């Protein structure tokens, strides 16, 4: 028992000795810190933080909240030397929480030796510069055994900013308590950003007529972060010429972009920048004042430049203004020289209201011409275009050599000719063939002979009803005289003369865009002028009954017909002598004995030679077409309506429907196999139609 007691006493004495030594070391560190650091107001530079009741032990429900912040340029460090808390799962009973700059670093419980704390916890217990450390300790209601708690020692220390690679001092750094400062090697000055060192290399050589300029430390490598500005200036009437000498070596990227640069600026604002290894050619500045700027970045080992500058008499060079020439023409001109400035073709003087193209200019002492009147391109302007015609591009450029093209305003029209027009030197729009736009203006003409629906069978007398859009050129007059007509443009209609004979001085309303003869809302087209063919044998003007020769009339409408899918013109025949082909006839006439159709009917007919048709006592002429089919015929009420080819349903944009005949006359008894109908042969009247439309 005595030996055991003695051994126990020895162990206890050794522990107390170790504790005293550790406490002594900490106190020595504390004393050193206090001696080395100035007193910063009320901020304590070192001290202890520990759990309540330490080292005897903490009571249930004990708690502690502690926070300490470092001044600017300092950081606070905490060293835990003791930890003895109740052990629990995820420290849910008793816990010590450690924070740095409001971020949780550790949640601790249980026991850890000083060695364990030094290895895994203490290296991380420090704040950022000017930051804070905080501690939160909380015990629950009871412990199965007594625990001594925790104890730590904190210190506030200066931060050595010079060790931070991001402090951005380009040369030298001096750390002091609470901060740092950058400074430069001899020959450099600190920039206004207090971090960058620059060479003091700018010079003002005003009044110097010749001399040498070199990059700093020439012929050795030039220093980094340089911005050198050299000013050369002399009296008016002189200019500087710069000649590079020896090596020219200014850093450049592989893609050609300058890293470092030598820039020459003149009084006129002209700028030239040089880099790489090729020696630049001599520079005649044309200026009495020149600024040469040399810039370098933060690294590199290039040698820089050396140049010789001298003055020479000021000269003027051409051109005086772009898009002009000089008379006389010389490489350069002495002060006082006069020249005639003439604008290039297609250009005029900007300040002149008239189309003047030349003026006189004199070379001044500053190397500039006076006066300077710019030459600007001739502007042809936006042309005046007829109705329905517009430019292909909105707001196109309209000056010399620019081009425009035209188009029609909607799909139901097309240009009668396509061409590009170029703005010429005289200010006129000119076609590729050399015609002025005003003399050869393309016109928008209706697209003819196209429909949007088709069928392949039917007849008029007893015929098949047409659907809307199938025969969009068909017009109808439903009051007496009842008859049909064909739209051939957006203003003109063709019909049989006998339909309108005696009604020339009356206003007639024609219906279009409908297949229903009793439609209450059709397109109504009002006549302005009715023109009957002059050779038509008009009933009532002679004692003879008409033989229907020249049975054709033109009607001009009072306003432009609004074209669309339901109403659009048919094409006229080609100006050829080719035989008339079989086709389709349409109308609102009788479709069975003494019955007038309420619907637009159509049917296909065959063309026969005149000598194969019975004219029933009337004389047929070469101005007529004989056509018919098996119980297919035009009849009363169809007069004036169209006979067109190809057959309905076989037309296309490449093969449009053409008006080959106009329903004219025939024997009584429609659909009789023994008789055929007669139609005015439109092909024979193309010239009359064209001339009449042009005159009216």
């Amino acid at each position: 028992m005595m030996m055991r007691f003695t051994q126990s006493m020895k162990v206890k004495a050794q522990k107390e000795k170790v504790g005293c030594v550790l406490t002594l070391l900490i106190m020595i560190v504390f004393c050193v810190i206090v001696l080395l650091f100035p007193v910063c107001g009320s901020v304590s530079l070192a001290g202890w933080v520990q759990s309540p009741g330490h080292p005897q032990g903490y009571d249930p429900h004990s708690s502690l909240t502690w926070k300490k912040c470092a001044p600017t340029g300092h950081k606070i460090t905490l060293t835990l030397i003791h930890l003895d808390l109740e052990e629990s799962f995820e420290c849910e009973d008793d816990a010590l929480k450690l924070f740095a700059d409001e971020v949780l670093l550790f949640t601790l419980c249980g026991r850890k030796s000083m060695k364990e704390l030094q290895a895994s916890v203490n290296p991380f217990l420090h704040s950022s510069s000017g930051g804070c450390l905080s501690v939160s300790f909380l015990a629950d209601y009871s412990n199965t055994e007594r625990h001594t708690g925790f104890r730590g020692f904190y210190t506030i220390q200066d931060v050595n900013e010079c060790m931070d690679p991001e402090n951005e001092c380009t040369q030298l750094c001096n750390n002091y308590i609470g901060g740092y400062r950058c400074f430069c090697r001899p020959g450099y000055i600190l920039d206004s950003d207090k971090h960058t060192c620059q060479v003091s290399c700018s010079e003002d050589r005003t009044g110097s007529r010749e001399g040498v300029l070199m990059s700093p430390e020439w012929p050795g490598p030039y220093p980094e972060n340089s911005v050198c500005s050299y000013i050369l200036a002399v009296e008016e009437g002189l200019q500087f010429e710069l000649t590079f000498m020896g090596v020219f070596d200014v850093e450049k990227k592989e893609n050609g972009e300058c890293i470092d640069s030598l820039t020459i600026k003149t009084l006129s604002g002209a700028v030239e920048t040089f880099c790489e290894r090729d020696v630049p050619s001599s520079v005649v500045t044309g200026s009495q004042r020149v600024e040469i700027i040399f810039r370098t970045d933060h690294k590199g080992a290039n040698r820089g430049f050396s140049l010789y500058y001298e003055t020479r008499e000021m000269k003027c060079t051409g051109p005086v203004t772009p898009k002009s020439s000089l008379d006389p023409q010389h490489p350069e001109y002495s002060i006082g020289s006069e020249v005639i400035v003439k604008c290039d073709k297609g250009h005029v003087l900007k300040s002149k209201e008239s189309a003047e193209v030349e003026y006189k200019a004199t070379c001044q002492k500053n190397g500039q011409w006076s006066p300077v009147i710019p030459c600007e391109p001739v502007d042809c302007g936006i042309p005046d275009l007829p109705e329905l015609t517009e430019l292909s591009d909105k707001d196109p450029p309209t000056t010399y050599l620019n081009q425009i093209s035209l188009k029609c305003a909607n799909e139901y029209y097309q240009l009668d000719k396509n061409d590009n027009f170029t703005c010429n030197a005289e200010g006129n729009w000119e076609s590729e063939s050399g015609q002025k736009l005003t003399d050869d203006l393309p016109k928008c003409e209706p697209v003819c002979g196209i429909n949007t629906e088709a069928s392949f069978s039917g007849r008029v007398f007893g015929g098949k009803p047409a659907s809307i859009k199938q025969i969009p050129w068909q017009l109808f007059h439903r009051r007496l005289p009842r008859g049909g007509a064909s739209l051939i443009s957006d203003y003109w209609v063709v019909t049989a003369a006998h339909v309108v004979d005696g009604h020339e001085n009356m206003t007639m309303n024609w219906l279009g865009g409908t297949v229903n003869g009793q439609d209450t809302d059709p397109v109504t087209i009002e006549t302005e002028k009715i023109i009957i063919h002059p050779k038509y044998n008009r009933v009532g003007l002679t004692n003879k009954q008409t033989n229907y020769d020249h049975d054709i009339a033109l009607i001009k409408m009072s306003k432009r017909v609004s074209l669309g899918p339901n109403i659009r013109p048919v094409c006229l025949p080609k100006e050829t002598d080719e035989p008339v082909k079989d086709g389709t006839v349409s109308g609102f006439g009788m479709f069975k004995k003494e019955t007038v159709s309420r619907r637009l009917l159509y049917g296909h007919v065959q063309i026969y030679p005149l000598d194969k048709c019975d004219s029933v006592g009337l004389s047929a002429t070469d101005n007529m077409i004989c056509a018919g089919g098996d119980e297919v015929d035009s009849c009363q009420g169809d007069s004036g309506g169209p006979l067109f080819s190809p057959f309905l349903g076989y037309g296309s944009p490449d093969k449009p429907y053409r008006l080959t005949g106009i329903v004219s006359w025939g024997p009584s008894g429609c659909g009789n196999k023994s008789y055929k109908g007669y139609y005015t042969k439109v092909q024979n009247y193309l010239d009359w139609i064209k001339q009449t439309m042009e005159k009216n």
Side-chain angles (χ1 to χ4, degrees):
M1 289 293 292
M2 191 65 179
M3 288 180 63
R4 289 180 181 177
F5 176 77
T6 304
Q7 186 70 23
S8 175
M9 291 294 291
K10 286 182 179 181
V11 171
K12 183 177 180 181
Q14 287 176 351
K15 287 184 177 179
E16 289 178 353
K17 184 177 180 181
V18 170
C20 290
V21 171
L22 183 59
T23 301
L24 180 61
L25 288 174
I26 293 173
M27 291 304 297
I28 292 173
V29 172
F30 172 76
C31 292
V32 170
I33 292 172
V34 171
L35 291 173
L36 291 178
F37 283 80
V39 177
C40 301
S42 61
V43 177
S44 175
L45 300 180
W48 296 95
V49 57
Q50 60 190 25
S51 57
H54 181 83
Q56 284 77 21
Y58 56 86
D59 296 329
H61 298 294
S62 296
S63 65
L64 172 70
T65 300
W66 175 89
K67 182 177 182 179
K68 186 72 71 173
C69 297
T72 301
H74 295 73
K75 66 178 180 179
I76 180 169
T77 301
L78 178 64
T79 302
L80 287 179
I81 62 172
H82 180 79
L83 180 69
D84 178 18
L85 305 179
E86 182 183 7
E87 184 76 48
S88 61
F89 175 72
E90 294 185 349
C91 300
E92 59 185 8
D93 293 340
D94 299 349
L96 173 64
K97 295 184 178 182
L98 303 170
F99 301 83
D101 301 324
E102 309 300 329
V103 177
L104 177 65
L105 299 181
F106 298 99
T107 299
L108 303 177
C109 59
R111 291 186 175 90
K112 288 186 182 295
S113 66
M114 179 66 180
K115 184 176 181 180
E116 289 176 316
L117 292 171
Q118 283 291 88
S120 61
V121 178
N122 289 339
F124 305 100
L125 300 184
H126 59 81
S127 72
S128 61
S129 177
C132 303
L133 287 181
S134 54
V135 171
S136 174
F137 170 70
L138 183 65
D140 65 355
Y141 62 93
S142 66
N143 289 318
T144 57
E145 61 179 284
R146 193 164 188 83
H147 296 276
T148 56
F150 75 91
R151 194 180 197 205
F153 179 70
Y154 73 87
T155 60
I156 295 178
Q157 307 168 14
D158 175 58
V159 176
N160 187 355
E161 290 90 350
C162 290
M163 299 300 292
D164 184 354
E166 297 183 0
N167 67 26
E168 298 181 345
C169 287
T170 59
Q171 289 190 358
L172 304 175
C173 179
N174 176 36
N175 184 72
Y176 57 85
I177 296 176
Y180 74 102
R181 68 179 182 87
C182 301
F183 63 101
C184 304
R185 298 193 298 267
Y188 290 81
I189 58 173
L190 191 63
D191 189 53
S192 58
D193 65 3
K194 302 301 183 183
H195 287 80
T196 305
C197 293
Q198 296 181 346
V199 175
S200 179
C201 54
S202 296
E203 292 184 61
D204 187 344
R205 297 198 183 183
T206 298
S208 174
R209 293 194 174 192
E210 63 176 333
V212 176
L213 290 177
M214 297 176 291
S215 55
E217 301 185 15
W218 174 269
Y222 53 75
E224 72 277 8
N225 298 311
S226 301
V227 181
C228 307
S229 174
Y230 307 97
I231 303 296
L232 306 178
V234 288
E235 65 271 21
E236 194 175 38
L238 297 177
Q239 63 176 323
F240 284 99
E241 182 175 1
L242 311 178
T243 304
F244 291 88
M245 304 181 300
V247 174
F248 184 85
D249 181 17
V250 179
E251 190 176 10
K252 177 183 178 181
K253 289 183 179 179
E254 291 183 1
N255 63 4
E257 182 181 346
C258 290
I259 298 175
D260 304 332
S261 62
L262 179 71
T263 301
I264 299 173
K265 293 184 177 181
T266 64
L267 201 59
S268 64
V271 177
E272 282 191 90
T273 298
F274 304 93
C275 60
E276 70 179 348
R277 295 178 180 272
D278 295 334
V279 179
S281 303
S282 295
V283 179
V284 178
T285 62
S287 178
Q288 69 185 80
R289 186 183 187 280
V290 176
E291 182 181 10
I292 301 171
I293 303 170
F294 182 57
R295 298 178 184 273
T296 69
D297 69 348
H298 61 281
K299 62 181 179 179
N302 300 72
R303 292 181 57 187
F305 71 94
S306 174
L307 65 82
Y308 173 73
Y309 66 88
E310 61 180 334
T311 57
R312 52 181 286 191
E313 182 185 8
M314 185 70 78
K315 300 286 185 180
C316 293
T317 59
V320 171
T321 185
K323 301 298 180 182
S324 68
S325 60
L326 303 184
D327 184 21
Q329 181 69 51
H330 299 300
E332 57 184 19
Y333 302 83
S334 301
I335 296 172
S337 298
E338 291 185 341
V339 294
I340 300 297
V341 183
K342 185 175 182 180
C343 294
D344 293 345
K345 181 180 179 180
H347 293 75
V348 293
L349 299 181
K350 183 175 182 179
S351 62
K352 302 293 184 181
E353 294 183 1
S354 61
E356 294 186 39
V357 296
E358 65 180 40
Y359 64 95
K360 183 182 291 185
T362 303
C363 180
Q364 308 295 306
K365 283 186 177 182
N366 60 1
Q368 304 297 313
W369 294 98
S370 181
V372 177
I373 305 174
C375 291
E376 63 179 10
V378 170
D379 194 341
C380 292
I382 300 295
D384 292 328
L385 300 176
E387 190 179 0
L388 301 175
T389 307
E390 60 186 27
L391 296 173
S392 297
D393 298 319
K394 185 179 180 181
D395 299 325
T398 58
T399 53
Y400 179 58
L401 295 183
N402 280 299
Q403 288 190 332
I404 60 171
S405 60
L406 307 181
K407 67 176 183 178
C408 295
N410 65 54
E411 62 183 298
Y412 302 105
Y413 290 84
Q414 62 185 3
L415 290 172
D416 60 351
K417 52 181 171 290
N418 292 315
D419 212 343
N420 290 323
F421 295 87
T422 303
C423 181
N424 65 18
E426 289 71 43
N428 298 313
W429 290 108
E430 185 176 80
S431 68
E432 294 172 351
S433 60
Q435 296 291 317
K436 289 183 181 179
L437 176 62
T438 52
D439 298 336
D440 191 28
L441 184 65
K443 298 178 179 62
C444 281
E445 297 180 341
V447 177
C448 66
I450 302 298
N451 63 0
T452 52
E453 290 189 6
S455 183
F456 297 88
S457 64
R459 56 188 184 176
V460 178
F461 182 79
K464 183 174 182 179
S467 62
I468 196 73
K469 303 179 185 178
Q470 268 191 304
I471 312 174
W473 46 85
Q474 175 81 52
L475 300 183
F476 173 49
H477 193 266
R478 63 185 170 193
R479 292 189 175 88
L480 292 177
R482 186 180 181 91
S486 300
L487 190 68
I488 59 172
S489 79
D490 53 0
Y491 267 107
W492 289 91
V493 172
V494 65
T495 186
H498 76 270
V499 173
V500 293
D501 189 13
H503 299 275
E504 301 93 295
N505 298 321
M506 299 173 57
T507 298
M508 300 179 69
N509 289 327
W510 291 82
L511 308 182
T514 182
V515 293
N516 182 358
Q518 295 184 350
D519 193 344
T520 58
D521 190 27
V523 176
T524 302
I525 308 170
E526 185 181 87
T527 61
E528 176 184 297
K529 186 181 295 185
I530 298 173
I531 304 170
I532 295 176
H533 193 278
K535 292 185 179 181
Y536 173 67
N537 185 15
R538 306 175 70 175
V539 177
L541 297 182
T542 69
N543 294 325
K544 296 171 61 178
Q545 183 182 7
T546 181
N547 66 351
Y548 296 103
D549 196 16
H550 308 293
D551 190 13
I552 184 171
L554 284 170
I555 303 174
K556 183 179 182 182
M557 298 305 177
S558 60
K559 62 180 180 180
R560 187 189 303 278
V561 178
S562 180
L563 302 183
N566 297 345
I567 182 166
R568 53 198 306 182
V570 66
C571 296
L572 291 173
K574 294 181 180 179
E575 295 182 10
T576 64
D577 295 330
E578 66 181 24
V580 178
K581 299 178 181 179
D582 298 340
T584 299
V585 63
S586 60
F588 288 87
M590 290 186 181
F591 69 102
K592 60 184 178 179
K593 188 175 182 180
E594 298 181 356
T595 303
V596 175
S597 176
R598 296 175 54 184
R599 302 281 299 177
L600 175 62
L601 304 178
Y602 70 90
H604 303 322
V605 294
Q606 181 180 352
I607 306 300
Y608 293 91
L610 290 175
D611 58 3
K612 300 295 184 181
C613 296
D614 189 343
S615 59
V616 198
L618 296 177
S619 98
T621 72
D622 289 339
N623 296 319
M624 302 177 187
I625 300 170
C626 175
D630 184 13
E631 296 187 6
V632 177
D633 195 6
S634 56
C635 201
Q636 286 82 6
D638 292 326
S639 293
L643 167 62
F644 56 90
S645 62
F647 290 131
L648 184 63
Y650 289 91
S652 68
D654 296 329
K655 190 179 180 181
Y657 295 103
R658 296 186 181 276
L659 183 67
T660 57
I662 300 169
V663 178
S664 182
W665 63 279
S668 60
C670 306
N672 191 319
K673 295 181 181 181
S674 302
Y675 304 110
K676 311 300 179 188
Y678 286 86
Y679 302 81
T680 304
K681 188 177 182 181
V682 179
Q683 192 177 58
N684 290 1
Y685 297 94
L686 294 179
D687 289 341
W688 176 76
I689 292 173
K690 180 179 179 182
Q691 293 168 9
T692 302
M693 291 168 62
E694 289 176 351
K695 291 178 181 179
N696 294 275

